[in-house]
Amino acid sequence: MKIGISCYPTYGGSGAVATELGLKLAEHGHEVHIVSYALPFRLASFHERVFFHEVEMADYPLFEYPPYSLALAVSLHDIATRYELDLVHAHYAIPHAASAWIAQEMMGSAGPRIVTTLHGTDITLVGMQPSYKPITRFSILKSDGLTAVSEFLRGETVTHFQVPDERIRVIPNFIDPDVFHPDRQPCHRASLAPGGEPILMHVSNFRPVKRVTDVIEVFGRVRAARRARLVMVGDGPDRIRAEQRARELGIESDVLFLGKHATVEELLSCADAFLLPSEAESFGLAALEAMASGAPVITSRAGGLPELVADGENGYLLDVGDVEGMADAALELLDDPERARAMGRAARSWAVERYSAARVVPEYERFYADVLAGSRT
Ligand code: GMT
């Protein structure tokens, strides 16, 4: 197949999934054209059959907000025509599904089929806003195929966007178990915890939905009880507040803010436990990557996280904001390394069995085949 993939290039789950999917599809022999306004962060090196197309944006003094959605539609139209794409896969509905639909309309019956993957806040937060909701609903209904990354997200889409349940196939996020691996080398443990302390880790885009200050609150309670280090990976609007809170609690010397990191697998294999206290999370790719790296996850009972984490078996689920409970769970693990290792092994097995690329990518390929075999929406 010849497949166009439209996604966000920035650090974040939807861009990561889109890029990793493109790379795996190319390994399976498909020709893949990734389209975005910048090079996606996980597309660092050359891969056979993978092409990147940067959306060309002409500026003009009249534009306070240059119309990216239109420029993307023109790029998709151009690429679909030149390379005779069978299908365009839009990751994150806004604006990718609408731009893909415009490109398809411009091409008439020769246009590619459109598959849209709903990732999370495109439905639960941004997509709900009155300024985006009608076009989000319209464009997802116009897609020839729809996937959601969890049962939770399918339910939200059905409830809030009145999309028929049977139109959405749930295909979860996935990992490459050879990349996210507990024994990954080189190991950075010595530099992250020079005193041999156990390591708690958090990876996110530091948006309010991630509740990064809860991570600091949890660590403050852990640190009051025992020695440990906290490694914070990523950057975003709440980083300053988190740094400030670490200073207020007097724990800043044991908290490392590393900033953005393109190869988080190098760090995750050093984690003894992973903290993700999000307010909402349609899937929680960062948690899955940590589990595949052998770290038990302490997270919130929110969104799609209970589909990923089995409480007490491969991690812990606590109510949103329950920093005491999360700290107790972290202490339970750090004080009993044998239990932590057993849970980490369970997390790794669960991640590999259910969410390996070898299992999930063929689900996308089967879905594409179904969409191409079906009639146009
Ligand atoms: O929704 C966002 O805030 C951004 C989006 C992203 O691009 O990172 O994250 C969502 O998509 C990921 C990949 O499918 C999921 O693992 C995340 O859970 C989801 N984020 C939220 O639902 C908050």
Side-chain angles (χ1 to χ4, degrees), residues 106-223:
M106 287 165 75
M107 291 178 74
S109 58
R113 298 292 165 90
I114 300 169
V115 167
T116 297
T117 289
L118 309 170
H119 278 275
T121 47
D122 46 353
I123 293 298
T124 58
L125 202 70
V126 192
M128 293 283 210
Q129 292 181 10
S131 48
Y132 295 121
K133 191 168 179 181
I135 185 69
T136 304
R137 179 168 189 272
F138 173 83
S139 56
I140 62 183
L141 283 170
K142 284 289 179 189
S143 296
D144 300 291
L146 284 173
T147 81
V149 296
S150 63
E151 290 292 348
F152 161 79
L153 191 58
R154 169 159 62 182
E156 291 293 290
T157 312
V158 170
T159 306
H160 299 292
F161 288 80
Q162 290 79 47
V163 176
D165 182 70
E166 66 279 4
R167 282 214 53 202
I168 308 171
R169 192 170 301 181
V170 173
I171 304 183
N173 288 176
F174 62 90
I175 39 87
D176 182 337
D178 296 331
V179 173
F180 291 90
H181 195 279
D183 306 316
R184 212 187 147 85
Q185 297 298 330
C187 175
H188 301 296
R189 187 174 270 279
S191 56
L192 298 176
E197 303 91 337
I199 296 173
L200 293 176
M201 198 173 286
H202 170 80
V203 180
S204 80
N205 48 26
F206 288 50
R207 293 201 196 121
V209 74
K210 305 291 176 182
R211 296 182 69 101
V212 282
T213 49
D214 279 10
V215 178
I216 305 296
E217 294 295 341
V218 170
F219 185 68
R221 286 159 176 79
V222 169
R223 189 63 195 85

Side-chain angles (χ1 to χ4, degrees), residues 283-298:
F283 181 90
L285 179 63
L288 172 62
E289 292 177 342
M291 291 167 80
S293 307
V297 170
I298 300 165

Side-chain angles (χ1 to χ4, degrees), residues 87-100:
L87 191 134
V88 168
H89 190 164
H91 285 265
Y92 202 90
I94 306 167
H96 303 121
S99 300

Side-chain angles (χ1 to χ4, degrees), residues 17-38:
V17 170
T19 309
E20 303 285 0
L21 176 61
L23 298 180
K24 291 291 174 197
L25 290 168
E27 276 176 25
H28 292 190
H30 304 287
E31 182 177 306
V32 174
H33 295 265
I34 299 182
V35 189
S36 193
Y37 57 80

Side-chain angles (χ1 to χ4, degrees), residues 74 80 100 126 138 145 152 188 226 244 280 286 300 305 357 361:
V74 170
V126 192
F138 173 83
F152 161 79
H188 301 296
R226 58 160 299 135
Q244 165 76 18
S300 18
L305 287 165
V361 173

